[in-house]
Amino acid sequence: MPVLYDIALPSSAPSTLKSLPILILNVHSTCNCRCVMCDIWKRTNSMEMRASDLARHRASMQSLGVQRVVLTGGEPLMHSDLDAFCSFFRELNVHLTLLSTGLLLLKRAAVVASLFDDVILSLDGPEQIHDQVRQVNGAFALIRKGVIAVRECNPRIKITCRTTVQKANFLHLRETVAAARVLGMDNISFLAADVSSAAFNREQGWPPERQDEIRLNSAELAALRAEIELLIRDYRADIQSGYIAENAAKLRRISERFNEYLNPEIQPQAPLCNAPWVSAVVDVDGAVRPCFFHPPIGNLNAGTLEDVLQGSAAQNFRKSLDVASNPVCKRCVCSLNYQPSEVDSAVHH
C-alpha cells in the first residue's frame, strides 16, 4: 500500500525534514494471502516489530510531528500482540490506519474496531475474481463478514478498499465498484499493478516472463481502455462524490502505465510526489525507506528514527532526488493526493 502525493516540490527541495506527518510500518513479514501480483507471501522467515522496540523512538516521533501511523506488512493482523503495539501510538494521540487483506477481520473485529481509526482493505474484483487473485477460497466472503463484525463494534469506523488493476481483473472494474458497495465500503480507489520495481519481496525484480503474467498485452490494453471509459460513464456520480477516489484523468492514467511497457519509445511520466519529504516506510527489520520503492536510507537498529531521517544518507538522497527524471519514480504506479491539513486523505494502499 505506498503513499504518494500530487503536490509539486519547490525548485530546490530541502534536504532536511521539517516534519514527518505519515509513518508507515511493516509490522509483520508474512501474509495470509497468495496474491498473484505480490511475492511477500513467499517469505519463509516470520518476523514482527515489537512494542518494546518503539520506546526509544518516542521522542523522535514527537519531534518530527508524526500525525498518522499506517500499519502494513505482510499482514498486520497476524501480529502476536497488536494491542500493545497500537497502545504505544494511542498514548501519543496518533491516528492509526490498518492496511489489511481482510482475512482476519472477522476473527479480530473487536481489536480492529477499538484500536484503529480507519481500515483500508485490498479488493481485487467481484467475489470469484477476488478469490482467484488472492488464491484463497472464500476470501471475499471473509471480508464481508469481517466488515459487518467491525461495524457492529464501531459503526463510525471508516472502511475503504483499493484495487490493483492487472491481467486477472482489468475487465471487471465496474463490477469491482459494485462489489465494494455490497461489502459496505466507504470508498474505493484503483491503481495499476507494479511489475518493474524491487518492492514487495522482489529484491532482484521480476524477469520479463513473470511481468507478462501481470501486465497487459495490446489487445488487453484496448479492452482496459474501453472498460475505464465505461466506468467513467456509468459511475460518473461516484467519481464526482469521491466514492471512487480517482477522477477521470487518473483512471485513464492506469491504462497508460501498461501502455508504457508495450511501447518502449514512450517516456514514462513520474507522478508529482513529495513522499520522501513527508513520510517514511520502516521495514520489519528496521530498514528505513523514503517510500516503498526506493532502497533503504538507514536502519533503526543503528539509531533513532530522527537520527536516520535527518542523517547524511537521508539528506543526500532527498537533495539529489529529481522525481521527474528518477527511473524508479518514472515507473511509479501511485498518484494519490495529499493535503497537509488533511492527513486522513493521504493514505492509499
Side-chain angles (χ1 to χ4, degrees):
M1 221 305 167
V3 182
L4 296 174
Y5 316 101
D6 276 353
I7 296 179
L9 290 170
S11 57
S12 56
S15 60
T16 302
L17 288 182
K18 293 184 177 180
S19 65
L20 188 80
I22 300 170
L23 178 62
I24 304 162
L25 303 178
N26 290 316
V27 299
H28 201 283
S29 63
T30 57
C31 187
N32 50 5
C33 279
R34 300 168 60 87
C35 301
V36 297
M37 65 287 189
C38 177
D39 286 350
I40 289 176
W41 58 271
K42 296 181 180 180
R43 291 173 178 157
T44 56
N45 59 325
S46 181
M47 302 170 58
E48 63 181 26
M49 287 186 184
R50 297 169 297 179
S52 59
D53 296 332
L54 299 174
R56 67 191 185 91
H57 303 292
R58 181 188 299 269
S60 287
M61 294 180 193
Q62 292 173 321
S63 175
L64 290 166
V66 174
Q67 300 173 43
R68 168 179 283 217
V69 170
V70 182
L71 302 192
T72 183
E75 172 51 57
L77 293 182
M78 295 175 68
H79 197 282
S80 63
D81 195 1
L82 199 60
D83 199 334
F85 195 88
C86 292
S87 294
F88 172 86
F89 296 106
R90 282 298 182 200
E91 293 172 5
L92 294 177
N93 196 30
V94 168
H95 187 113
L96 276 174
T97 294
L98 170 68
L99 300 187
S100 175
T101 66
L103 296 185
L104 291 174
L105 209 55
L106 175 62
K107 184 176 181 180
R108 310 200 70 176
V111 172
V112 171
S114 63
L115 293 179
F116 293 95
D117 296 289
D118 65 303
V119 179
I120 303 173
L121 301 175
S122 298
L123 179 65
D124 294 301
E127 185 165 4
Q128 183 178 0
I129 300 298
H130 177 83
D131 290 1
Q132 289 175 356
V133 171
R134 296 272 141 181
Q135 300 192 87
V136 176
N137 291 332
F140 186 95
L142 279 173
I143 290 178
R144 180 164 45 203
K145 293 175 182 177
V147 169
I148 292 171
V150 170
R151 288 239 166 87
E152 285 177 348
C153 298
N154 181 359
R156 294 181 301 277
I157 192 169
K158 184 177 181 180
I159 305 178
T160 65
C161 62
R162 62 183 182 186
T163 298
T164 301
V165 180
Q166 39 101 358
K167 188 182 286 285
N169 64 8
F170 72 95
L171 289 176
H172 304 277
L173 305 189
R174 288 170 294 161
E175 293 175 74
T176 305
V177 177
R181 289 286 192 191
V182 168
L183 292 171
M185 299 295 173
D186 293 311
N187 167 277
I188 183 171
S189 63
F190 294 92
L191 76 164
D194 166 53
V195 301
S196 63
S197 81
F200 314 118
N201 196 38
R202 304 184 309 221
E203 286 82 0
Q204 307 304 317
W206 276 345
E209 58 271 17
R210 178 70 174 94
Q211 294 184 28
D212 287 341
E213 296 175 9
I214 304 301
R215 62 189 180 186
L216 309 185
N217 60 35
S218 297
E220 291 165 338
L221 175 60
L224 171 61
R225 284 172 168 160
E227 176 68 10
I228 288 174
E229 293 306 315
L230 289 172
L231 176 64
I232 293 169
R233 184 197 69 184
D234 296 350
Y235 286 87
R236 186 174 304 276
D238 283 333
I239 294 172
Q240 292 174 344
S241 71
Y243 184 79
I244 296 175
E246 291 75 25
N247 59 28
K250 287 187 176 182
L251 289 170
R252 292 181 177 119
R253 190 186 303 170
I254 293 171
S255 62
E256 292 315 299
R257 279 303 188 217
F258 293 106
N259 189 38
E260 290 162 1
Y261 289 111
L262 288 173
N263 297 283
E265 70 277 6
I266 297 176
Q267 280 295 317
Q269 297 295 311
L272 295 174
C273 167
N274 64 356
W277 289 268
V278 296
S279 68
V281 178
V282 181
D283 291 336
V284 70
D285 62 358
V288 180
R289 300 174 183 269
C291 74
F292 281 93
F293 302 103
H294 283 284
I297 50 177
N299 195 293
L300 294 188
N301 295 321
T304 66
L305 178 64
E306 192 167 19
D307 290 337
V308 173
L309 292 177
Q310 304 289 31
S312 59
Q315 291 202 41
N316 288 338
F317 173 83
R318 290 189 292 266
K319 185 177 181 178
S320 63
L321 179 62
D322 178 11
V323 172
S325 62
N326 182 274
V328 173
C329 297
K330 287 169 69 174
R331 288 291 186 186
C332 183
V333 297
C334 301
S335 58
L336 289 189
N337 289 328
Y338 168 71
Q339 300 298 328
S341 61
E342 298 179 4
V343 176
D344 287 6
S345 66
V347 180
H348 176 66
H349 333 290

